[in-house]
Amino acid sequence: MTRPTEPRALHVRLLAPADGALPPLISPRVDERIYRLVALALRAHVLSWYPRLTHDTTLLPALTPLVLSALVPLLRAAPGAAPRLLLSDLPALLALHVRTVRAADDAVAVGLYETRAEAYHAMLPVRGVARLPVAGPPGPPTADMTETTTPASAGDVLSDAELSAALADATTDVRPTPPAEAEVGPETALALDPAYFAAAAHAVLVRHLGPADAASAAQTAIAHDVLGRLVLCGVGRKLGQPWFWWQLALRFLPPACGGRGQDGRDGPGAGSGKEEAREAAITPRPRPLDRARALIDVGIRLGMRMWAAALVLWSALAYALACPPSGHTAVLDPWLAFVRLVARPTTLPARLAFGALDALAAIGGGLVDRVVPALLDRHLNEDTAVNVLGLVERIVFPDGWPSPSPPDPSDDEAARMRRDVVVRLEARVPRWAQDAFFPAPHVVEDESPTNARAGDTADLVLDGSRDEAAVAPRDRAASAGVAGLVDWLDDAQCNAHLVAMFYTAALGALVPSLVVPAGGKAR
């Protein structure tokens, strides 16, 4: 009795040539993830229309080396470029994004623009962001592949002209709407431009193609469409959605055990002052011996914590001295500047706290400059590559193929997730920290409309403009307090600019030949 053969993996069935196996790339675990991602992308982008034209099965194996010629060099260059991206470029881009969002809100408040996204794009126009129809670029096709028409040339390999014509008919190119023809409205929105990132993928592809990787123009177009439109824009669209970060925050912030009372303490009985007073009246006064024992207990605990802190500092110092010089300087400064920008310290305790952080960064900055890059190099290993590739696969293909992707949360669901994030943050930030770093603004209650006088509302409108001093507290109530930690992620159109800037910085770090020097000309 013969044992039934195990079915081959998806990437082996689709990508392996008929007379050979898939070549090794980086390591077995990483190779499997890479080939699986490429197989899913090619199946979503090609097999939705190609089997209707011919039964040829050599196109996907022919496209695989083209896609890998651009993808594998980027993955190999990632460990060397990641420290600069994470320690310098990312905090600088986040700070620029927060400043632009705040400036856009101020411009909207005084009536210069109607929406935050419109003001943001006018202040910081970014290449890679264009005004597109609200439907956006088409995602992976979800047509039933079993209902295919009769192939036009069954068993034959399509020529370059036939493949180009079929590709043009099967894929709809979403072009950006010209500014003169596009009006700010519900029918268009600012989003990542698929054509721009397809061109960027084409530039990377051309720089890494060797003489042995000669391919037709249609095959090259399919390869850079898969990388630019499907992978980069598919991942970037999810990263730009506020609900994506709300879901991530809710996953790492489980709900607190009890509510928060008016006195700022957590627990099911927080704020019950009468019960506490009754318990205090019943509890007998501590004796002197009990007080001495309590002081001894506090001293022992304090000494143990100080000893643990000393051991941690000693271990960190020994590790820092053992680390070689990294070449990075002042790695904490960009992140401290970003945190200061988000927290907006206005009270005296907050300013003193940030002053203490600056002093500690100045004292131990040399050790941090050694430790942090060394830790990054240590964690940028095979496991990290496997996790990142798996995350990209889950973002682009949440339920695999050909199952349709789950619908995005509605606006009401996204707003509810944001409220839950704010509530859980408030439950974990102590009351004294909220009062010091996120003081709630004092909002003066308006009079009821029935009792309001005509002269009271006249102060709010001067020559058709809004008085910001009168309406700003109520307009900005949603971003007051702890909610100010997340208000700069509320707009998906503004977040698209941040994603496009990060993509540009990443491509420049991974492929330095794409960067045009200051004052130079693009080749």
Side-chain angles (χ1 to χ4, degrees):
M1 181 176 179
T2 60
R3 180 177 299 178
T5 59
E6 296 182 359
R8 295 188 301 171
L10 171 69
H11 59 277
V12 177
R13 289 187 283 110
L14 293 181
L15 307 182
D19 55 349
L22 295 173
L25 302 174
I26 299 176
S27 67
R29 294 177 59 202
V30 178
D31 293 352
E32 183 180 0
R33 283 291 186 179
I34 293 176
Y35 280 122
R36 178 174 172 80
L37 178 62
V38 173
L40 289 173
L42 290 179
R43 185 166 66 168
H45 195 71
V46 177
L47 291 189
S48 60
W49 54 270
Y50 190 71
R52 302 177 183 179
L53 307 176
T54 177
H55 290 319
D56 171 53
T57 58
T58 62
L59 180 60
L60 264 60
L63 291 173
T64 302
L66 296 178
V67 177
L68 295 178
S69 64
L71 184 60
V72 174
L74 297 181
L75 293 176
R76 290 175 177 170
R84 170 189 161 187
L85 282 173
L86 298 179
L87 299 178
S88 178
D89 295 343
L90 181 59
L93 293 177
L94 290 175
L96 177 62
H97 176 71
V98 174
R99 284 196 298 267
T100 309
V101 166
R102 303 272 169 79
D105 290 341
D106 293 339
V108 172
V110 298
L112 295 178
Y113 297 94
E114 295 183 0
T115 62
R116 174 194 279 185
E118 181 184 358
Y120 190 109
H121 190 65
M123 296 176 182
L124 188 62
V126 177
R127 290 185 178 181
V129 176
R131 189 168 294 281
L132 303 175
V134 173
T142 58
D144 188 1
M145 294 179 57
T146 60
E147 300 178 359
T148 57
T149 58
T150 303
S153 55
D156 297 335
V157 179
L158 298 184
S159 64
D160 189 25
E162 293 175 341
L163 188 59
S164 300
L167 178 63
D169 294 338
T171 58
T172 303
D173 190 8
V174 180
R175 300 293 183 185
T177 306
E181 302 177 4
E183 298 180 357
V184 178
E187 68 279 358
T188 60
L190 295 168
L192 295 178
D193 185 6
Y196 175 84
F197 289 102
H202 178 74
V204 176
L205 188 66
V206 169
R207 278 166 170 76
H208 291 98
L209 278 178
D213 299 326
S216 64
Q219 292 180 356
T220 305
I222 294 175
H224 68 64
D225 275 358
V226 167
L227 291 174
R229 298 174 184 271
L230 192 60
V231 177
L232 287 181
C233 287
V235 175
R237 176 187 169 275
K238 289 290 183 67
L239 295 179
Q241 295 296 328
W243 54 261
F244 176 82
W245 300 104
W246 308 153
Q247 288 180 343
L248 192 65
L250 292 176
R251 181 177 302 179
F252 289 97
L253 290 174
C257 296
R260 179 179 292 275
Q262 296 180 355
D263 55 353
R265 295 186 302 170
D266 295 332
S272 55
K274 295 182 179 180
E275 295 181 1
E276 294 178 358
R278 187 181 300 108
E279 293 178 358
I282 297 175
T283 303
R285 294 183 179 180
R287 294 175 297 177
L289 183 59
D290 295 336
R291 293 180 179 179
R293 290 176 179 175
L295 290 176
I296 294 174
D297 185 49
V298 170
I300 292 175
R301 292 182 180 179
L302 182 60
M304 293 178 63
R305 291 185 179 182
M306 292 179 63
W307 176 254
L311 290 179
V312 170
L313 291 177
W314 178 260
S315 301
L317 180 61
Y319 184 81
L321 295 178
C323 294
S326 61
H328 298 274
T329 57
V331 298
L332 284 180
D333 291 349
W335 283 107
L336 285 178
F338 166 67
V339 173
R340 183 184 290 106
L341 190 63
V342 172
R344 290 184 287 191
T346 56
T347 62
L348 180 60
R351 293 179 180 179
L352 292 177
F354 277 101
L357 287 177
D358 293 337
L360 292 176
I363 296 173
L367 299 178
V368 175
D369 295 341
R370 287 191 174 198
V371 171
V372 175
L375 291 177
L376 284 178
D377 294 337
R378 181 178 179 181
H379 287 85
L380 292 175
N381 49 24
E382 181 180 350
D383 295 336
T384 303
V386 171
N387 293 334
V388 170
L389 290 171
L391 178 62
V392 172
E393 179 183 327
R394 289 192 298 271
I395 290 177
V396 182
F397 307 101
D399 292 337
W401 172 269
S403 301
S405 300
D408 294 342
S410 63
D411 295 339
D412 295 338
E413 292 173 344
R416 184 168 61 253
M417 285 190 291
R418 185 190 186 277
R419 288 195 298 268
D420 292 341
V421 170
V422 173
V423 169
R424 295 186 186 184
L425 286 175
E426 290 178 346
R428 281 162 175 78
V429 179
R431 177 62 63 184
W432 62 267
Q434 293 188 33
D435 295 338
F437 292 94
F438 312 105
H442 179 66
V443 180
V444 180
E445 294 294 336
D446 297 335
E447 296 181 2
S448 60
T450 56
N451 297 330
R453 295 174 299 174
D456 293 337
T457 57
D459 295 335
L460 299 180
V461 180
L462 299 175
D463 299 331
S465 62
R466 302 170 66 193
D467 186 5
E468 184 184 5
V471 300
R474 186 166 298 278
D475 290 345
R476 297 180 181 177
S479 61
V482 179
L485 293 174
V486 298
D487 66 334
W488 51 278
L489 287 173
D490 285 342
D491 197 304
Q493 300 184 64
C494 297
N495 296 343
H497 294 73
L498 177 61
V499 174
M501 289 188 293
F502 181 75
Y503 273 167
T504 303
L507 287 176
L510 296 173
V511 190
S513 59
L514 292 178
V515 179
V516 178
K521 296 182 179 180
R523 292 179 293 179

